Amino acid sequence: MFAGRLSSLGGGGGVCCLHRAVSSSFVPKNPIGAVTRGYREAGRGYREAGRGFTRRSKIQSAINSNIQTTKGKIGPMEVGQIAVGGGAVLGVGALCYYGLGLSNQPGAIDRAVAWPEYVRHRIRDTYMYFGASCATVAASAVAIYRSPIGHRFFALCSRHPIMSTVGVLVGMVGTGTAMQSIPYSPGLGTKQLLWLANCGMIALAVAPVGFLGGAIAVRAGWYTAGIIGGLSTVAACAPSDKFLNWAGPLGIGLGGVFVASLGSMWLPPTTTLGLSLYSISLYGGLLLFSAFLLYDTQKVVRKAETHPNMWAVTPYDPINMSHHIVMDAVNIFIRIAQILAMGGGVRRK
């Protein structure tokens, strides 16, 4: 599922989609405005398949038009908002249910007191790499967005959308696959260098979030941290195999979100079908990767408990185990940022 999660970055198709180049034939009178517009359009074309990654995008215009023409009705975006709201209610209910110990089966938090020391070290190292990955991706994305080289890169992506999209995707999948194929060893080695390279490639996909504004990015980061903390607590308190049986449905859901992302690229958001596909990609993707977070969290605990701890056995790999959680967090963050850029998805009268 690694490539599928990478290709689902972003609600409108992400790095897997073909992007329209920014027209260079229009030369405005204000050169400073031209540069600013070019940067914005570059980020728009790179991240959102030509649909706009700014507040005043075509998608937002289509959503506003849909709201005006469907007052009193429930449209595709409203269905997505209701689904996310229902998922939030279920998450809070699960947190209360399992957190208060109402389940008859023990969870990871109940077994933690009996864990051997090596199990504790494995889980600790996994989440240390998770935190380091998030910090590296965030710092790299900020550096890319603020640097002149980064803006030139965005402009290059706008001029060659297909090549840049394929290049970034190949770089992410290639560095991730190479990283996961190398056995883990403590310290600084080839695997750690590839891990840093993969974080840098992910940062290239995350950097255009800066075009939405720093306030939105910070709010999206805090909301993502809250979601990750709450869902991780649910997974730790729930029975060990509660979410591990979700692999099949999650794989099917990932395929559906991926197809919806591709469809939203080809169909304009002014149509009901196009807006429905965009809603599935955005809100459905948010629910999907939240469920993936539950699954991956319990998978980390299960792997830490059951991986052999004997001589001449391949050591436990905290980098590989943390990587899937990182991809869940990045996908959640991007979708929350998009929702906040649309005004939080709140219908305005």
Side-chain angles (χ1 to χ4, degrees):
M1 296 180 182
F2 172 67
R5 296 199 209 183
L6 286 178
S7 61
S8 295
L9 282 173
V15 297
C16 67
C17 297
L18 311 179
H19 305 296
R20 291 202 301 260
V22 180
S23 174
S24 59
S25 59
F26 174 72
V27 181
K29 296 181 179 180
N30 185 356
I32 298 178
V35 174
T36 304
R37 186 179 298 107
Y39 288 165
R40 291 180 179 176
E41 290 293 328
R44 177 184 67 84
Y46 173 63
R47 288 293 302 126
E48 279 300 308
R51 301 247 190 266
F53 199 66
T54 60
R55 184 181 296 272
R56 299 177 181 179
S57 63
K58 289 185 178 180
I59 291 179
Q60 181 61 40
S61 300
I63 293 172
N64 293 337
S65 176
N66 181 69
I67 290 175
Q68 293 176 359
T69 57
T70 60
K71 286 185 177 181
K73 301 179 182 180
I74 298 180
M77 301 303 290
E78 287 76 14
V79 172
Q81 294 162 18
I82 292 173
V84 170
V89 172
L90 289 176
V92 173
L95 180 61
C96 296
Y97 180 79
Y98 293 119
L100 295 175
L102 301 179
S103 176
N104 295 327
Q105 299 178 350
I109 197 170
D110 300 313
R111 301 192 310 274
V113 295
W115 278 344
E117 192 65 23
Y118 67 86
V119 175
R120 300 175 186 271
H121 285 193
R122 289 171 174 177
I123 296 178
R124 180 201 63 189
D125 292 345
T126 299
Y127 280 93
M128 285 182 63
Y129 271 106
F130 168 70
S133 297
C134 293
T136 303
V137 170
S140 301
V142 172
I144 292 171
Y145 175 74
R146 291 185 175 181
S147 67
I149 297 177
H151 284 284
R152 286 198 291 270
F153 171 75
F154 297 144
L156 178 64
C157 291
S158 69
R159 292 194 297 270
H160 306 284
I162 298 178
M163 294 178 60
S164 61
T165 299
V166 173
V168 172
L169 182 58
V170 169
M172 294 171 69
V173 175
T175 56
T177 303
M179 176 192 70
Q180 295 186 77
S181 65
I182 297 177
Y184 172 79
S185 59
L188 182 62
T190 305
K191 189 177 186 71
Q192 284 76 10
L193 294 177
L194 286 172
W195 163 68
L196 291 174
N198 183 251
C199 290
M201 295 303 300
I202 297 174
L204 284 177
V206 176
V209 173
F211 289 99
L212 296 177
I216 288 179
V218 171
R219 286 177 61 194
W222 280 113
Y223 291 164
T224 302
I227 291 174
I228 293 174
L231 293 178
S232 298
T233 303
V234 171
C237 296
S240 300
D241 58 347
K242 187 67 176 179
F243 305 115
L244 289 178
N245 299 324
W246 288 10
L250 288 176
I252 297 173
L254 182 62
V257 170
F258 179 57
V259 171
S261 298
L262 290 178
S264 65
M265 177 190 69
W266 298 107
L267 296 175
T270 52
T271 63
T272 301
L273 180 58
L275 197 58
S276 299
L277 291 176
Y278 181 76
S279 178
I280 292 173
S281 178
L282 182 62
Y283 294 107
L286 180 59
L287 290 173
L288 175 70
F289 289 106
S290 298
F292 260 119
L293 185 62
L294 294 171
Y295 170 79
D296 289 327
T297 301
Q298 288 203 336
K299 188 176 179 180
V300 167
V301 176
R302 173 64 65 84
K303 187 69 173 178
E305 291 177 333
T306 59
H307 190 81
N309 186 37
M310 299 181 293
W311 182 79
V313 174
T314 303
Y316 174 84
D317 195 332
I319 294 180
N320 287 359
M321 296 307 300
S322 67
H323 184 68
H324 297 298
I325 305 178
V326 172
M327 295 310 304
D328 298 336
V330 169
N331 277 282
I332 291 172
F333 168 76
I334 290 178
R335 283 167 169 81
I336 291 179
Q338 289 178 290
I339 292 173
L340 293 177
M342 295 188 303
V346 179
R347 175 179 290 187
R348 292 180 172 84
K349 299 295 184 182

